[in-house]
Amino acid sequence: YKMLSDIADMKRGEISISYTPERGSEMFARVYPKFHKKYPDISFRVIEARAVKMTQLLEQGSISLALTAHSDESRNPQFDYFPIDRELLVLALPRTHPLAYMAGERSWETFPFMDLKLLREDEFVLLSRETMFRRMLDKQFMEAGYKPKVLFEATTTYTAVNMAKSQIGPAFFPQSYVDPEAPLVYFSIGKHLSWNRSIAYRKGTYLSKVEMDFMNM
């Protein structure tokens, strides 16, 4: 049907997509007005989900596109990925933390390295285990040789950010959440731990001209 629609240059239909309730929804909201102006008769069927659920939806064929993030090691062999950007995963320490001085000046730009072994006795604000982010962090703690003490487990990144701003404890979040004005200092961990933000789709999927245009936007 997609092929026939492209041949006929039809601009009606539906795009099924999944994205996260936070950053994914913001990215979609920025693109949608431009897209809708060009394709007013194309509708979207949207399912907001975390990375694990999103993968299941894509595998089942319940959605065509998934706006997701993944590490180099976690690429799903069943999917192809349309790259958007690469993003650093950062550790945020309250400015009142005893090790905050190690960040130096302008840490929101430099992201100096922090060895997680130095934070063994800290209590952390961590994201839910349903997130890809948490899985990547758990691996970093394992390599540091300890299981972190969890003071608070957040269901959203914004909650983790706000808890850190309130000087509750160390937190982790993607670089796009970094605020130079916040009472925080920032570090990189691991070997500059980062992930790729991409649009995933099943291998062998025919992407229509409209879908490709949306992805390029």
Side-chain angles (χ1 to χ4, degrees):
Y1 280 116
K2 287 182 182 180
M3 289 179 182
L4 290 170
S5 179
D6 278 352
I7 291 168
D9 199 27
M10 293 174 64
K11 295 182 180 179
R12 294 179 180 273
E14 178 186 83
I15 296 176
S16 56
I17 186 171
S18 182
Y19 49 69
T20 59
E22 300 169 68
R23 187 62 64 192
S25 63
E26 289 184 5
M27 293 175 68
F28 179 79
R30 286 200 298 268
V31 172
Y32 181 76
K34 178 182 175 182
F35 180 88
H36 182 65
K37 186 176 181 180
K38 187 172 181 179
Y39 301 104
D41 295 321
I42 296 291
S43 62
F44 282 88
R45 180 167 56 83
V46 175
I47 301 177
E48 292 190 346
R50 294 295 180 185
V52 176
K53 179 64 176 178
M54 208 182 293
T55 297
Q56 294 172 351
L57 291 170
L58 201 54
E59 288 175 342
Q60 295 164 2
S62 301
I63 54 172
S64 299
L65 305 175
L67 185 57
T68 186
H70 61 90
S71 65
D72 293 335
E73 296 78 21
S74 66
R75 289 175 68 96
N76 190 314
Q78 298 182 56
F79 303 157
D80 282 325
Y81 294 88
F82 182 90
I84 297 174
D85 62 14
R86 192 168 180 88
E87 184 176 36
L88 193 68
L89 307 185
V90 304
L91 161 67
L93 289 187
R95 282 186 183 160
T96 55
H97 193 281
L99 299 182
Y101 74 93
M102 296 176 65
E105 299 294 327
R106 304 180 72 84
S107 64
W108 63 88
E109 292 179 343
T110 58
F111 300 105
F113 172 74
M114 169 64 77
D115 188 343
L116 287 182
K117 292 177 182 178
L118 298 177
L119 301 174
R120 182 183 291 270
E121 300 305 318
D122 278 77
E123 294 181 310
F124 294 89
V125 177
L126 298 180
L127 287 177
S128 151
R129 295 181 187 276
E130 297 177 359
T131 63
M132 179 63 66
F133 196 114
R134 177 62 181 277
R135 294 184 178 194
M136 294 174 69
L137 283 180
D138 284 346
K139 184 178 179 181
Q140 293 299 311
F141 281 116
M142 188 180 300
E143 291 177 0
Y146 68 97
K147 187 174 181 179
K149 300 173 184 176
V150 182
L151 176 65
F152 185 88
E153 192 169 87
T155 56
T156 71
T157 307
Y158 287 116
T159 300
V161 171
N162 289 329
M163 293 283 279
K165 286 181 178 179
S166 298
Q167 311 296 291
I168 299 298
F172 301 85
F173 42 81
Q175 185 179 348
S176 52
Y177 289 83
V178 167
D179 177 5
E181 303 300 322
L184 299 170
V185 294
Y186 303 99
F187 297 88
S188 61
I189 59 172
K191 296 179 180 178
H192 278 74
L193 186 67
S194 60
W195 64 12
N196 302 289
R197 293 198 293 182
S198 308
I199 299 176
Y201 53 94
R202 288 183 300 168
K203 286 185 180 295
T205 297
Y206 179 83
L207 296 175
S208 68
K209 293 176 183 177
V210 173
E211 286 171 325
M212 287 300 300
D213 206 8
F214 168 73
M215 290 163 65
N216 281 308
M217 288 181 189

